[in-house]
Amino acid sequence: MHRSRIFSSSSEPRFWWHRRSGSDYVPPIYSCLTDDEWQLLQEWYAETSKRDWAGECAVPLMSLLQGLIMGNMIRRIVQLGTFAGYSALLLGFFLRQMEARHGLFSLEIGNTLSEYTRSWLIRAGLVDFVKIEHRSSLDPASPGLATEYLRGRPELIVVDSSHEYEATIRELEAWYPVLTPGGLIVLHDTSNFAVSFDATHAGGVARALKEWRNKHPGAEAFSLNAGIDVMEPPPPVYQDACGVGLIQKPLDKEGGTSEPLRRAG
């Protein structure tokens, strides 16, 4: 099976993982796809390259998400930041394999990107599994709309949106209360290297996670590759120099989960 091995010969920055030593295999995020799904993803790559819309996450983060979701039967996911739809498509493919309809609610502030991703979801036959909402993650109505679509509190929230310190702090404060007890928040770009992604130059996701963690000592939280300052050479073990953070909400006092949160009205 060749599939993603073809990316090793590309000089595009988006395919950095495929050029690294030891990557001459097809990772499970791609090998688990049907032939039709892989063909569609190849077409998505080709079109977004022409549009210069490369900015999606790479194999390490998607592999982590696949393991969390498919290894733990996670069926209610919120994504803050859709961009051009790479992760929405892949997460949709995973959810379809699990027969988890209404499984992903993804928020994107850009109308053009929202419409673009919707068009690909239609082509992929994933409209029963993924909803793209053209709305800010900080809109007070967003958490209620998400829980209504998912038919319960999210079990996993993926934060990969503005990369700005203040916006990320506000997202954590807005969405952590909505998360089901025991649920997880995954934050991309938590390393020192990724601090430069903050257009406001205020410290990025790394500062936001650190300060939020200090204010919420009851939550389990850590960051992989937090101290990485440069893209090359690749960091050991977890290969993404951008880093990833993980927060887990404690279980309730009875050790179970609370009732689903419903949108008022």
Side-chain angles (χ1 to χ4, degrees), residues 193-214:
F193 167 70
V195 166
S196 62
F197 302 165
D198 182 352
T200 67
H201 308 290
V205 182
R207 178 186 172 193
L209 176 58
K210 183 181 297 184
E211 292 187 4
W212 186 91
R213 179 173 52 196
N214 290 338

Side-chain angles (χ1 to χ4, degrees), residues 75 92 95-96 99-104 121-122 124-131 149-151:
R75 295 171 177 270
L95 290 166
R96 181 160 61 190
E99 299 184 0
R101 288 173 171 76
H102 285 240
L104 173 63
L121 292 172
I122 292 170
L126 291 173
V127 293
D128 290 338
F129 299 87
V130 181
K131 180 177 178 59
Y149 174 78
L150 299 172
R151 300 166 184 169

Side-chain angles (χ1 to χ4, degrees), residues 2 8-9 14 26 87 90 92 163 166 173 226 250:
H2 296 289
S8 64
S9 61
R14 72 191 321 177
V26 181
S87 52
L90 277 177
H163 308 107
E166 184 176 353
E173 294 293 354

Side-chain angles (χ1 to χ4, degrees), residues 3 29-45 89-90 92-97 120 123-126 129:
R3 292 200 172 181
I29 59 170
Y30 299 140
S31 64
C32 77
L33 304 182
T34 67
D35 289 341
D36 287 343
E37 289 169 347
W38 174 248
Q39 178 62 38
L40 183 134
L41 191 63
Q42 281 189 292
E43 293 170 3
W44 179 91
Y45 267 125
L89 284 168
L90 277 177
F93 292 148
F94 303 157
L95 290 166
R96 181 160 61 190
Q97 290 185 36
W120 281 94
R123 288 176 60 178
L126 291 173
F129 299 87

Side-chain angles (χ1 to χ4, degrees), residues 15-16 18 24 39 45 78 85 91 95 137 144 163 191 208 220 256:
F15 297 125
W16 60 265
H18 301 276
D24 187 25
Q39 178 62 38
Y45 267 125
V78 168
L91 294 177
L95 290 166
S137 59
H163 308 107
S191 71
E220 296 287 346

Side-chain angles (χ1 to χ4, degrees), residues 63-186:
S63 299
L64 176 65
L65 293 175
Q66 182 191 40
L68 287 173
I69 294 164
M70 300 191 77
N72 298 282
M73 297 165 284
I74 292 175
R75 295 171 177 270
R76 299 193 303 273
I77 307 164
V78 168
Q79 182 181 46
L80 310 185
T82 308
F83 194 53
Y86 169 79
S87 52
L89 284 168
L90 277 177
L91 294 177
F93 292 148
F94 303 157
L95 290 166
R96 181 160 61 190
Q97 290 185 36
M98 298 165 61
E99 299 184 0
R101 288 173 171 76
H102 285 240
L104 173 63
F105 186 88
S106 187
L107 290 141
E108 171 57 49
I109 198 169
N111 184 56
T112 299
L113 291 169
S114 297
E115 291 299 326
Y116 184 77
T117 301
R118 286 193 194 104
S119 71
W120 281 94
L121 292 172
I122 292 170
R123 288 176 60 178
L126 291 173
V127 293
D128 290 338
F129 299 87
V130 181
K131 180 177 178 59
I132 305 299
E133 183 77 11
H134 174 221
R135 186 182 297 268
S136 169
S137 59
L138 296 173
D139 186 321
S142 293
L145 291 169
T147 55
E148 182 178 283
Y149 174 78
L150 299 172
R151 300 166 184 169
R153 292 177 181 266
E155 300 168 297
L156 173 66
I157 299 173
V158 182
V159 181
D160 194 10
S161 49
S162 71
H163 308 107
E164 296 176 0
Y165 158 72
E166 184 176 353
T168 303
I169 279 280
R170 292 175 62 197
E171 285 175 332
L172 289 173
E173 294 293 354
W175 287 93
Y176 182 76
V178 184
L179 189 67
T180 195
L184 304 171
I185 297 178
V186 172

